[in-house]
Amino acid sequence: MIELSAEIVAFLMLGGVFALVLTGFPIAFVIGSVAFFVGLLVFGPTTTFHILYSRFYDLSLNYPYLAVPLFTFMGVVLQHSGITRDLYTSLYEALGKVRGGLLIVTIIFGTVLAACLGVIAASVTILTLIALGPMIERGYDRSLASGAIVAAGTLGILIPPSIMLVVYGPQAGLSIGQMFMGAVFPGLILSGLYILYIIIRCQLNPALGPAIPDEQITPFSIEKLVRLMKALLPPVLLIMAVLGTIFSGIAPPTEAAAMGCTAAVLLAVAYRKFSWQLIKHASLETLRVSAFVVMIAALCYAFVGIFMNAGAGDVVADLILSVPGGRWASFLVIMLIVFLLGLFIEWIGIVFIIVPIFSPILLQLGFNPLWAGMMICINLQMAFQTPPMAMSIFVMKGTAPPETGVTMAHIIKGVIPFVIIIMFTLLLCTIFPGIITWLPEKMIGAAM
């Protein structure tokens, strides 16, 4: 044991994580090793192992986290059953005559996928495979097409049933149901602003997203309408199975996730997409994702336990609360820290580390915890679209067919306007906090 001040412990732990992340080691090992060795230095082996054991035990009893494997299974079944593929074609037939029609369809389709999957990698992969090729073939700008796909796919981390909201809620002591309801309007506003941006860009420069030539447009028919309604049916039923049961008070989010799994399997059977190979693949993918989440969660729990017991949490709180300019300046510092961490650390590591540290500070500053939590979640949208740790960009680049000619430079250039739109949405939610709080207050009650 070594006598170290809380300030030095805070510097060693936060600085150690930041420095080791840059080496390329997996985030779970980085966080766990820093917590373990700093704990040995400060508390000695006996106390350190007691803190680690108690934190791991607390995590194992956290019932809401059961929703993570359930939502993951639901998303994988829907992704690989191909149920949603017809929806993209039907939407394009309806909006093809509009300039940038394919881009608009991509955003709408991404919004629907977000409400069905809740997993970003799945949404971005589906959008890239279905939408990128047709857009490039029709002469769409590669950067704008890439940016729209990444932005639409990343909506899956915000619009419920989002895995990030499931993870964030218990960390901040918030109801997952409240988090889901608080995310509805910000997610829809982001989607609407993306569409508005695309319409304006394509009206100013039609070459970015040309409309379908008149000779290729089929006239409206009852058959076309029926095809669109049929394509919309699976996602609508799935959304009703999950969000409908939560919003109507029939079941909490964990049980609603089980309803979603059942609905996804039944839809796969109904559309003749069901197979035991599908269930095997979905189960293995669920195990992989769940093990990844639990491992990072356990080691981040350990990190926060050592950090808080060493008094480093008070150091961070005093530093943020002492920022000149009042509580809004302190809030701006918190949001800036979250944004900067998003450049280098995966979202799950950020949530498990900063939420237990920042939540008491935000409460002390007098902010509504639900509003503050949703602001952080909206902020983390940018983490998926800003290099070097930009998961959505990497998923798209790895999935994009080589013949499309899309490069990393195209994707990065394309996402910049959408990142600016996210910043504007944060400003809107700051000026009008009811965007986040109105629905939860009406349906569940004011956040405590």
Side-chain angles (χ1 to χ4, degrees), residues 1-4 9 13 35-51 302-312:
M1 292 174 58
I2 300 175
E3 287 291 334
L4 295 176
V9 172
M13 295 190 74
F36 180 71
F37 288 115
V38 172
L40 290 179
L41 284 175
V42 177
F43 300 113
T46 303
T47 304
T48 297
F49 281 113
H50 175 73
I51 293 173
F303 180 94
V304 172
I306 298 294
F307 191 85
M308 302 301 276
N309 278 280

Side-chain angles (χ1 to χ4, degrees), residues 213-225:
D214 291 337
E215 61 271 15
Q216 295 182 18
I217 297 176
T218 56
F220 175 81
S221 64
I222 298 298
E223 182 184 352
K224 185 185 290 188
L225 180 62

Side-chain angles (χ1 to χ4, degrees), residues 88 92 95-105 134-142 144-145 198-199 201-214 216-217:
Y88 188 85
Y92 183 51
L95 294 171
K97 195 173 181 180
V98 180
R99 289 175 182 170
L102 265 179
L103 293 165
I104 296 171
V105 169
M135 283 195 280
I136 301 303
E137 289 173 7
R138 288 169 171 78
Y140 278 63
D141 179 74
R142 285 180 170 82
L144 188 56
I198 288 167
I199 291 173
R201 281 291 306 273
C202 292
Q203 287 296 323
L204 295 176
N205 186 357
L208 295 176
I212 297 180
D214 291 337
Q216 295 182 18
I217 297 176

Side-chain angles (χ1 to χ4, degrees), residues 64-104:
Y65 286 139
L66 282 176
V68 172
L70 293 171
F71 279 132
T72 303
F73 181 86
M74 180 188 78
V76 175
V77 169
L78 193 68
Q79 175 189 2
H80 291 278
S81 64
I83 293 171
T84 58
R85 285 183 176 270
D86 293 339
L87 177 58
Y88 188 85
T89 304
S90 300
L91 287 171
Y92 183 51
E93 288 179 354
L95 294 171
K97 195 173 181 180
V98 180
R99 289 175 182 170
L102 265 179
L103 293 165
I104 296 171

Side-chain angles (χ1 to χ4, degrees), residues 280-335:
K280 177 183 176 182
H281 176 81
S283 300
L284 290 174
E285 185 67 14
T286 300
L287 284 172
R288 187 188 68 80
V289 172
S290 301
F292 168 74
V293 170
V294 170
M295 184 175 185
I296 291 185
L299 295 174
C300 287
Y301 260 55
F303 180 94
V304 172
I306 298 294
F307 191 85
M308 302 301 276
N309 278 280
D314 294 331
V315 174
V316 175
D318 292 340
L319 181 64
I320 292 176
L321 293 172
S322 64
V323 172
R327 67 176 194 148
W328 286 106
S330 298
F331 180 74
L332 182 62
V333 169
I334 290 174
M335 296 298 284

